[in-house]
Amino acid sequence: MTTATRQEVLGLYRRIFRLVRKWQAASGQMEDTIKEKQYILNEARTLFQKNKNLTDTELIKQCIDECTARIEIGLHYQIPYPRPIHLPPMGLTPLQGRGLRSQEKLRKLSKPVYLKSHDEIS
């Protein structure tokens, strides 16, 4: 990992902790705020620990993009949880080949950047 990449990753980690300090739940309930803050901290720690030994610059860049996207989406929609995607069953496959294998492949390719690691830790 280069020094610039390391600084970018550490900056994202600090940004998440600053975000947690200021976070308020959309419902306004103190219990919801505490749960959401704890979720953000646990999610960040889990993902950063899981990816701490990455050396491939392309994978590191993907993780940085995912982190940035999740922060921006969380701030915009005021929810810390990843937004689900809603795809109709068999809606992505070509008309001539409606096989399950091709459906799974297309679903994997169509997954947004902010959900790439969510299924791995859930």
Side-chain angles (χ1 to χ4, degrees), residues 4 12 21 27 40-41 89 96 106:
L12 280 173
R21 275 190 263 137
S27 66
I40 294 168
L41 287 174
Q96 68 271 14
L106 287 171

Side-chain angles (χ1 to χ4, degrees), residues 76-89:
H76 179 76
Y77 292 104
Q78 296 181 345
I79 56 169
Y81 312 107
R83 298 197 64 214
I85 54 172
H86 302 288
L87 297 173

Side-chain angles (χ1 to χ4, degrees), residues 41-104:
L41 287 174
N42 289 339
E43 188 83 358
R45 285 185 182 126
T46 303
L47 289 174
F48 276 87
Q49 283 292 325
K50 183 183 130 236
N51 296 323
K52 73 179 181 180
N53 295 323
L54 288 181
T55 55
D56 183 22
T57 56
E58 189 61 36
L59 286 175
I60 293 171
K61 181 67 176 148
Q62 287 177 359
C63 291
I64 290 171
D65 291 344
E66 178 184 357
C67 182
T68 305
R70 287 183 71 173
I71 289 171
E72 295 302 323
I73 289 172
L75 289 172
H76 179 76
Y77 292 104
Q78 296 181 345
I79 56 169
Y81 312 107
R83 298 197 64 214
I85 54 172
H86 302 288
L87 297 173
M90 305 303 276
L92 296 173
T93 57
L95 294 175
Q96 68 271 14
R98 291 190 174 257
L100 182 61
R101 198 172 301 147
S102 61
Q103 176 69 25
E104 289 174 0

